[in-house]
Amino acid sequence: QQQVKQSPQSLIVQKGGISIINCAYENTAFDYFPWYQQFPGKGPALLIAIRPDVSEKKEGRFTISFNKSAKQFSLHIMDSQPGDSATYFCAARESGGGADGLTFGKGTHLIIQP
Amino acid sequence: EAGVTQSPTHLIKTRGQQATLRCSPISGHTSVYWYQQALGLGLQFLLWYDEGEERNRGNFPPRFSGRQFPNYSSELNVNALELEDSALYLCASSRRGSANEKLFFGSGTQLSVL
């Protein structure tokens, strides 16, 4: 049973456009929702994270939108750049859980075309 | 400060053989996590070590095992290799295995089982 469903699997966006990646979950005990960015040949790196007490968190061009009632959260990349081309993973973890409790989505391969 | 280092970068084995993968955490980090990243499946939690002890393991068979040494480096062993074990194996470290600690990933070991 996949606890975090991520879509789309792949995404092509023109430079300067908005990239949107969506994730949905079922476990209402999840209370921490990070996004990881992975470049080819590298390990994932934490990009931005949100807790359910806020509906939106913004860091530079990256924004997480969170809809608790719908059990969905999404990553928006504004003014997408070729350097943003990477695989993005959403994840979720239960309250009080450690990193061993992180459940990852299957990833979105994002390509930003110049 | 050096990041999480993993060796070897690539490893090619045949079915039935054993593979040993190594990880050195960031200095000062006591927790080491192992993940399997199979194509299209996202990151699957394998094992968590902290202060030399195995703290938790994911839903993997016992032929996946490991240990953590007194210097906090870690080793992942996979016995009786099967074709489906082919994947990128990622190691991550954190200061300690608490809910708020940030994970730092290495670049992984690409294991190919022929």
Side-chain angles (χ1 to χ4, degrees):
Chain A
Q1 181 186 4
Q2 186 184 354
Q3 295 195 56
V4 177
K5 294 185 178 181
Q6 184 172 348
S7 63
Q9 186 175 355
S10 61
L11 180 62
I12 299 174
V13 175
Q14 296 297 315
K15 178 182 175 182
I18 302 173
S19 303
I20 302 174
I21 304 170
N22 300 298
C23 284
Y25 63 97
E26 290 296 324
N27 187 349
T28 54
F30 286 153
D31 81 336
Y32 174 66
F33 303 89
W35 284 88
Y36 286 82
Q37 180 188 55
Q38 184 179 27
F39 293 107
K42 300 293 185 183
L46 180 64
L47 183 63
I48 187 173
I50 197 169
R51 293 192 183 274
D53 53 343
V54 297
S55 60
E56 186 175 284
K57 183 174 182 179
K58 184 176 181 179
E59 290 185 5
R61 296 183 294 107
F62 299 89
T63 300
I64 299 179
S65 297
F66 184 81
N67 186 330
K68 188 173 182 178
S69 60
K71 291 183 284 187
Q72 295 176 347
F73 58 110
S74 59
L75 177 69
H76 292 65
I77 306 174
M78 312 300 289
D79 186 28
S80 299
Q81 299 297 310
D84 298 330
S85 297
T87 299
Y88 292 81
F89 294 95
C90 63
R93 189 190 65 207
E94 290 187 12
S95 173
D100 57 317
L102 277 172
T103 299
F104 287 86
K106 292 187 177 182
T108 296
H109 185 212
L110 174 64
I111 297 173
I112 307 300
Q113 289 188 332
Chain B
E1 178 184 276
V4 177
T5 57
Q6 292 187 242
S7 63
T9 305
H10 295 85
L11 189 57
I12 300 174
K13 295 285 186 178
T14 56
R15 279 178 54 190
Q17 286 189 314
Q18 178 194 39
T20 299
L21 289 63
R22 296 180 176 83
C23 172
S24 293
I26 291 173
S27 178
H29 287 191
T30 62
S31 274
V32 170
Y33 302 81
W34 286 95
Y35 291 87
Q36 182 193 67
Q37 184 177 7
L39 202 60
L41 291 182
L43 281 74
Q44 306 291 321
F45 167 69
L46 265 168
L47 289 159
W48 168 31
Y49 293 94
D50 185 61
E51 297 284 0
E53 300 287 332
E54 182 180 304
R55 301 297 182 180
N56 198 9
R57 66 178 293 130
N59 188 26
F60 281 85
R63 56 192 187 82
F64 287 84
S65 65
R67 54 181 170 167
Q68 186 177 34
F69 300 98
N71 66 353
Y72 304 115
S73 67
S74 178
E75 198 175 84
L76 174 68
N77 295 292
V78 187
N79 294 318
L81 284 165
E82 300 180 1
L83 297 178
E84 52 265 34
D85 296 333
S86 295
L88 180 68
Y89 289 84
L90 292 163
C91 171
S93 73
S94 69
R95 290 193 184 275
R96 59 184 182 276
S98 72
N100 296 321
E101 291 300 326
K102 183 178 176 180
L103 272 183
F104 294 83
F105 283 87
S107 296
T109 293
Q110 184 66 53
L111 173 63
S112 299
V113 183
L114 306 178

